[in-house]
Amino acid sequence: MADIKRIGVLTGGGDAPGLNAVIRAVVKTAYNAGVEVIGLEDSFDGLIEPGRSRTLTPRDVTGILRLGGTVLGTTNRGNPFAYPVSTSEGIRDYSERVVEMFHKMGLDALVVIGGDGTLAIAQQFNDRGVPIVGVPKTIDNDIVGTTNCFGFDSAVAFATDAIDRLHTTAEAHRRIIVVEVMGRYAGWIALHAGVAGGADAILIPEIPFDLEAVAARLRDRDRWGARFSIVVVAEGAFPKGGKLSLLQAASDGHVERLGGIGARVCEALATLTGKETRAVVLGHLQRGGAPTSFDRTLATRFGGKAVELILNRQFGVMVASAPPDIVARPLSEVTGKTKTVPPDYDLLHTAKALGVTFGD
Ligand code: F6P
């Protein structure tokens, strides 16, 4: 069997703090093992359009460990199997081109760093004979098969800091402040940042809420003298019997955009409690900026493991965290699913025991 001589690396989907730390680890580990790394720009576009790739050496990745974003152009959500070309041509399948380019560039394997959507695309290419190792990335922490994804800790750290700041102003005005955080269809960010920030109510997609129950809890706080409250709402949370709050419905080539639930909860709680309320949406601030030390370390471990798997010719897998180890999981077992907060998660029970309401 021929040696691995040249591998490609790309980043896809939304960005997450730690992408550059993975790229750096892949490049340095591969370089030290005598393998050339080609950085593919703008996700799979780097394998669709010629000239959108470059060799990466340790010199090119020096100093990027602490940087947010990605040094590989953009992390667009484009899917080569349904690629938006132009308004006149519409959607086209560019997957054959990707496979051809992969071989033409003399690549032996590909490291694909991305969320569920990107990893599902990666699996399809792996099935077509492109040897792939995936690296799970998302601030949402919703990828199946891995305890942690890099980016999550940074998002939680930012949201916790924001909640700390909102606490002081909420208290000074005796207000209820509703903080909407990201997370898509999972409540990991809301739950972790809510508990770390000492929120009084945490609303997550896994537990449809009743605002009467939330209001009752907040009124109770008033009675014993805590005349302000912090409510953390996941963007994917919804009321019992109600619907998701959407900023934009799904359309050709685009996923639906969640958002707006914070403002709705804020308005309803003002009516139900008679208190002054304000809503804050943390939005993309949660995805920007430098990764935390935890995410830098996790991303580095993922990048190093990805190269190790390639050198061992173990393909069609995703690196995953299974503390204390970094392991490989078959892509086929992890894609197309969402890891939500399980009902028996200890942090849910701990929070409830502290008096936090989930509106259930
Ligand atoms: O998946 C990461 C994420 O930040 C979600 O939490 C959020 O719903 C979505 O991406 C936002 O997407 P966009 O950057 O396209 O607005």
Side-chain angles (χ1 to χ4, degrees):
M1 210 175 277
D3 279 352
I4 300 284
K5 294 212 173 62
R6 180 183 287 172
I7 64 174
V9 58
L10 66 83
T11 55
D15 63 320
L19 280 171
N20 286 322
V22 181
I23 297 168
R24 171 181 176 271
V26 167
V27 170
K28 289 198 166 194
T29 312
Y31 184 87
N32 290 331
V35 174
E36 183 185 4
V37 178
I38 306 293
L40 301 159
E41 285 173 17
D42 307 335
S43 187
F44 282 97
D45 288 12
L47 283 169
I48 291 177
E49 293 170 25
R52 287 170 78 170
S53 58
R54 61 186 192 278
T55 297
L56 296 176
T57 66
R59 179 75 196 88
D60 299 303
V61 295
T62 295
I64 70 168
L65 177 62
R66 62 184 178 278
L67 300 184
T70 171
V71 294
L72 291 176
T74 69
T75 59
N76 70 42
R77 298 190 198 268
N79 177 358
F81 290 89
Y83 199 72
V85 188
S86 65
T87 32
S88 55
E89 284 182 278
I91 304 284
R92 269 176 60 183
D93 182 348
Y94 271 79
S95 55
E96 272 314 310
R97 166 99 63 104
V98 168
V99 178
E100 267 169 37
M101 281 274 279
F102 173 84
H103 292 301
K104 226 186 240 172
M105 289 169 77
L107 296 173
D108 299 308
L110 209 55
V111 177
V112 174
I113 312 167
D116 179 51
T118 306
L119 294 174
I121 296 169
Q123 195 206 328
Q124 284 178 273
F125 282 118
N126 190 78
D127 294 346
R128 289 196 182 189
V130 176
I132 286 184
V133 171
V135 177
K137 160 249 57 158
T138 175
I139 63 164
D140 304 335
N141 202 37
D142 60 354
I143 297 180
V144 168
T146 181
T147 303
N148 298 296
C149 293
F150 70 87
F152 172 63
D153 187 67
S154 305
V156 168
F158 176 82
T160 303
D161 180 51
I163 295 167
D164 285 350
R165 288 163 188 265
L166 292 169
H167 250 113
T168 55
T169 172
E171 185 163 17
H173 288 266
R174 295 182 170 171
R175 285 172 172 160
I176 294 171
I177 296 194
V178 178
V179 192
E180 182 182 307
V181 298
M182 283 184 166
R184 235 185 248 287
Y185 311 107
W188 295 105
I189 298 178
L191 177 60
H192 279 253
V195 171
D200 308 294
I202 302 174
L203 308 181
I204 59 175
E206 293 83 350
I207 307 176
F209 59 80
D210 168 9
L211 282 183
E212 257 304 344
V214 177
R217 162 85 181 107
L218 303 190
R219 279 193 295 263
D220 201 38
R221 277 175 57 77
D222 252 8
R223 270 194 290 277
W224 56 261
R227 297 167 69 178
F228 70 98
S229 292
I230 299 287
V231 179
V232 175
V233 188
E235 62 180 359
F238 54 91
K240 281 183 183 166
K243 288 191 303 197
L244 273 178
S245 216
L246 293 185
L247 291 178
Q248 204 177 299
S251 62
D252 263 0
H254 295 283
V255 295
E256 65 187 5
R257 288 177 59 212
L258 306 183
I261 189 65
R264 288 184 193 170
V265 166
C266 178
E267 209 182 302
L269 285 179
T271 311
L272 289 169
T273 63
K275 288 184 73 81
E276 224 187 335
T277 61
R278 293 288 187 271
V280 176
V281 180
L282 298 187
H284 292 81
L285 288 166
Q286 293 159 97
R287 264 185 18 209
T292 57
S293 55
F294 180 89
D295 278 339
R296 293 179 201 196
T297 310
L298 183 63
T300 300
R301 295 173 80 195
F302 278 176
K305 183 73 177 183
V307 174
E308 181 192 310
L309 291 170
I310 287 176
L311 294 175
N312 291 336
R313 295 189 163 274
Q314 208 179 328
F315 302 122
V317 293
M318 173 188 91
V319 299
S321 107
D325 301 317
I326 302 295
V327 298
R329 306 254 189 245
L331 279 169
S332 57
E333 283 178 15
V334 300
T335 55
K337 300 171 190 160
T338 303
K339 185 185 73 178
T340 52
V341 176
D344 59 351
Y345 189 41
D346 73 289
L347 194 55
L348 275 179
H349 299 298
T350 304
K352 280 187 183 176
L354 289 173
V356 175
T357 180
F358 290 83
D360 50 345

